[in-house]
Amino acid sequence: MNWEIIVNSDYKDTVAETGNKLLIGNGYLGVRGTLDEHEKEELVAITLAGIYDKVGNGWREPLNAPNPFWSKIHLDDQLLTARSENVIFHEQNLQFRYGILIRETVWKTEKGNITLKTERYADINAVNKLHYRISLSSDQVMHLRLSTGINSDVWDIHGPHYKGVRLIEKDSCLACEALVQNDIDRVAVVREDTIAESSIYEKRLVTDESKIFNCYEIELNPHQSFELTSEIAIVTTKDHSDALNKAIQVCQSSSSSDKTNHLSKWDKIWNTCEVEIGGDEMAEMGMNYSLYQLNIAAPRHSKSLSIPARALSGQVYKGAIFWDTEMFMLDYFLWTQPEIAKTLIGYRIDTLSGALEKASQYGYEGAFYAWESQEGGFDACSDYNVTDVFTNRPVRTYFKDKQMHISSAIARGIDYYVQVTDDFSVLLEGGLITVIECAMFYRSLLLKPLLKDHFVINDVIGPDEYHERVNNNAYTNYMAHYTIKCAIEQAKAVMTLYPEAYLAIDKVNDISEKLKKLEAVVDKIYLPKPNEFGLLEQFDGYFTLEDITPDIAKSRLKHPKEYWGGGNGVASDTQVIKQADVLTLMEVRSDIFSPDVIEKNWHYYEPRTEHGSSLSACMYALTACRFNRPDLSYPFFLKSALSDLKGGGKQWAGLVYIGGTHPAASGGAWKSLIQGFAGLELSENEPLLSPNLPEHWQYLVFRINYKGKLIKIRINSVKGSYHILREEIK
Ligand code: BGC
């Protein structure tokens, strides 16, 4: 398989997309794939996981660390960049098997040709470390100047987040300590350079307002290149109270075995998850690249951290955690690297207090999770999440208040984790009470119409965000019911298997009382049923809305960046939906909807779906597999699997920039491949497979971790029948 992504140009209007595509990272940080000479205008960013700041009335967003890859080359006084006219070769090459980004640029000058090569990677083992190499060579004798060091003038969307920086040279390292506006956190970036003995140069230290760097005056000749190796450490006060000295220590602990260990760790990771698709190179590469994106976002260094909706590709979406993690990404980790799934769930368990507080602020009981969750479960979602393109005024949106399905995603994540792993420790260590509190939240939403014998849930937003404040969104009602049932069943399981632990949890949380309340309502929740045509109405009155296609809705836009939903959007009073809604329900609960009903709803809803969210396509891919139509599924699978490789996704919501990587689409692609085409599902004793592969695939090879055993599965497709081979691997 081709494990390289190559970009040969550097233009103003493609720099954002390239930055995403060539992202490297290790779950602690993500480094956008920008060039050494780039500045914040080119969206240079090293986005840190789980550390946030808010400036004034701006949105609270994650911090970008000062940039230790800042480098400029001058020939006489001419700055050489990838955009210079005399470039005769330029390439950025992401070797995504190992998360290594290599750059090579050759300039043809009057004095001779100059070649710059750089390499950078984020250490996958020691997550505070980054490694950088610069090599300069020439085919003639010449003099060059290389300035390279740390630049604290970082790209921020709602910054600046640093109120001051200290730039010093200490213990032979360049060091930058940035004090965050919140007056609490500090981010330390330290870099130590080693120059190959054969290099000929003079060095001078330069410090200005925002940068500390070494300026190397270099003599090059055809036999004498200049080779610099730089060890870098980034540490924040979240990691260590004395971030600066810790960073120096980490930086100086680098050794020549770091790279060998990095490569071998990546090989181990791929051993848990690599896929092979016979007869479809594009799908194979797209899928493995999607897994790369998930793997560089995975918080391996923590027991309680999650993955933001745009992973670590920048500050977009406030670096917040959405339902994307539990509904789209979790299954991949659960079936390949379950310890990471546990960390993702750990984050939700640890932020239960935030969810309890949010519920009580709205006058509900139980746990209402943040729609856009940051540290401690703080809901970063603004009341005004889009901007009107005509008036430039913020538009009141109700995502935070009304996307009540969020808590069911957390319950589903915990439930599925326990089902797949049989690891009850999650339930005993906070998971059970988390699910019960989610259930209590839904109970407190239930309303009883006077003349009915059931409870309804009114005034919500379902997965389709274009229709706000609707009643009885089928997805929400079914998921509320599922959550309550789940709480009751899990409590019973814990009571039976771990009676003492149950009593201890009960003593503190009074769960027996809560369970009685849940049992009293669980069978009375209104669960809308498919109509005489087999169609399930997305919410009360949806079928009465104007029935147009997304193309017609689009033709009504008066501005290309206009928001489609909310009060006045072109989709709001029509049946055009932003993303899979009923079909997301039918995927999550494919156990209760027949293939025939799923098929009918698929054909009804898909032509009405704008696919304006990267979460949409995979749900159509998955559900098409439920009624055995891999041919229908395939283009949606491919769309998800290529979402970051191809780029070109939606960049704007109103006037708000929403570009970045799409880990939910990556996770959704994995779900489509493994749970859709391969038909992986749980059964009592072993995972079951019911393959239905696209016709042009000769085989599919993948790996799963089932109860601690790593199993390689090969499905050979021979004239419409399948041979399945399973092999345990080390
Ligand atoms: C989608 C949400 C999703 C969010 C983050 C929005 O555009 O409508 O369902 O959670 O993006 O990916």
Side-chain angles (χ1 to χ4, degrees), residues 309-310 317 322-324 328 371 403 405 463-465 578-579 612-615 658 664:
R310 291 289 179 266
Y317 278 156
F322 290 63
W323 70 315
D324 303 31
F328 297 81
W371 180 242
Q403 291 219 42
H405 64 83
D464 156 34
E465 289 187 337
K578 178 177 177 185
Q579 64 203 88
S613 157
S614 61
L615 277 54
I658 56 168

Side-chain angles (χ1 to χ4, degrees), residues 172-231:
S172 76
C173 297
L174 302 182
C176 166
E177 189 188 38
L179 174 63
V180 180
Q181 296 278 3
N182 64 17
D183 265 325
I184 303 168
D185 295 309
R186 283 167 200 270
V187 179
V189 179
V190 167
R191 170 179 159 163
E192 185 172 42
D193 294 356
T194 311
I195 318 283
E197 272 177 21
S198 55
S199 307
I200 309 172
Y201 66 97
E202 274 176 24
K203 182 174 106 171
R204 171 163 64 89
L205 178 71
V206 183
T207 314
D208 66 20
E209 234 173 66
S210 56
K211 294 188 283 293
I212 180 161
F213 57 95
N214 281 316
C215 188
Y216 297 95
E217 303 290 346
I218 302 167
E219 299 301 331
L220 290 179
N221 67 55
H223 314 289
Q224 209 72 70
S225 60
F226 174 84
E227 308 288 337
L228 178 152
T229 308
S230 192
E231 302 300 345

